[in-house]
Amino acid sequence: MAKIDIGPPDYRKNLHPVIIKNYGQWKFHDYVKPGVLRHVAHSGDMLYSIRAGSPRLVSIDFIRDICDLADEYCGGYLRFTSRNNIEFLTDDETKIEPLIEACEAKGLPVGGTGASLSNIVHTQGWVHCHTPATDASGIVKAVMDDLFEYFKRDDLPARLRVALACCLNMCGAVHCSDIAILGVHRTVPVINHDIIRKGTEIPTLVASCPTGAIRPDPKNKSVVIKDEKCMYCGNCYTMSPGMQIMDPENDGIAILVGGKVSNARSVPMFSRLVIPFLPNNPPRWPETVEAVRNIVETWIKHARKGERVGEWIERIGWERFFTLADIPFSDKCIDDYIFSRETFRTTAAFKY
């Protein structure tokens, strides 16, 4: 069969030899030190993963640099994790410390394993998206600069996962992360009827609205919006640049907490809104940075060993969480979605 270049290469051809030999036959893994994992197979073979933090958006020169590190210290074997970390794979224990030193020399911090803060997974933001309510890379840089110590240490109550999505379409993992930073629009799109009349397929534009807020306006050969139905998602702008959703004065940031994907100890959980709005204040977003640090430090102070943020909150009660974190509760924090019965409080018991 002819070789084609459609799609990614078969990952099995690029696995480390130790992984190929022991595929599906692993005995356990443990944490040697922050940033270093050891995987032990039933055969006795051991493989080490050295995890380094990385930006999500990188240059070709950066990729060449880390490939050079992989060639020099671990036979060219590396991978990228789902949270934008780099993991160098080696079965030679003597290569670990020299590789860590080489990474640190290039500004690549080693850490993020075990009970620590991993890298923040995020979306495009103002760099490369047409409907964001906030930036992505800028906020992540500011937040990680402030919380950097927790990336380098692994003595937190449990692992900490932070995510950012620049709008509620959530290209990131904000629905299932311990702390989520979400860009929010708060005003309906401003319609430019001239643009819509000149080059918009109106049936497609109408169909793009998930709440049915957009309706045809045959008289003006355009559309109208029912404000009360709009949820400010920006899908309509994807269909037509005549539906301008971005608003410098009213766009901002919401904070959600308590989500997780893990099925260990408790079932996976969705994040819940705790701070409905923070302003966009680039380049360092001080209000957002302060809010995230406050939640992290409150969790560290009060959680038991092994408790994720959501598990801790479920144990003490959401009322107590708002009190401990000194976050004002508002009606925006109440889940009033018509199909959300499973998330409603079903008893009158308060956990103070």
Side-chain angles (χ1 to χ4, degrees), residues 41-233:
H42 286 285
S43 65
D45 291 340
M46 289 187 289
L47 182 70
Y48 295 89
S49 297
I50 296 87
R51 180 177 296 178
S54 163
R56 178 180 181 273
L57 304 175
V58 298
S59 67
I60 294 176
D61 289 335
F62 176 87
I63 294 174
R64 286 173 175 160
D65 286 342
I66 62 173
C67 287
D68 288 343
L69 289 176
D71 287 340
E72 183 174 355
Y73 295 101
C74 48
Y77 291 98
L78 62 78
R79 75 183 193 100
F80 290 90
T81 73
S82 60
R83 303 194 77 87
N84 312 320
N85 297 295
I86 307 164
E87 283 192 354
F88 299 93
L89 306 174
T90 180
D91 56 352
D92 186 351
E93 188 175 0
T94 64
K95 297 289 188 180
I96 296 175
E97 291 303 324
L99 175 57
I100 292 175
E101 292 177 6
C103 287
E104 297 283 357
K106 285 188 175 293
L108 299 175
V110 174
T113 58
S116 67
L117 168 65
S118 187
N119 213 347
I120 299 178
V121 64
H122 66 88
T123 57
Q124 304 287 356
W126 290 334
V127 172
H128 190 48
C129 185
H130 59 283
T131 58
T134 190
D135 192 26
S137 302
I139 300 175
V140 167
K141 170 64 174 171
V143 171
M144 282 300 289
D145 281 351
D146 188 65
L147 299 178
F148 181 69
E149 60 182 299
Y150 300 126
F151 181 84
K152 299 287 288 185
R153 49 189 268 203
D154 60 357
D155 58 350
L156 304 185
R159 64 181 58 187
L160 178 62
R161 299 293 181 261
V162 181
L164 183 147
C166 51
C167 77
L168 58 73
N169 289 301
M170 295 196 307
C171 302
V174 300
H175 63 295
C176 57
S177 293
D178 295 293
I179 300 175
I181 305 165
L182 174 64
V184 290
H185 298 292
R186 299 193 298 168
T187 54
V188 298
V190 176
I191 303 175
N192 187 318
H193 296 287
D194 289 336
I195 293 178
I196 291 177
R197 281 192 287 264
K198 288 178 181 178
T200 299
E201 190 178 65
I202 290 179
T204 304
L205 173 58
V206 171
S208 72
C209 182
T211 61
I214 301 174
R215 289 288 181 264
D217 182 9
K219 182 178 179 181
N220 295 309
K221 297 182 179 179
S222 185
V223 295
V224 293
I225 298 176
K226 290 187 176 182
D227 293 7
E228 66 276 10
K229 284 191 171 185
C230 180
M231 69 176 192
Y232 322 121
C233 67

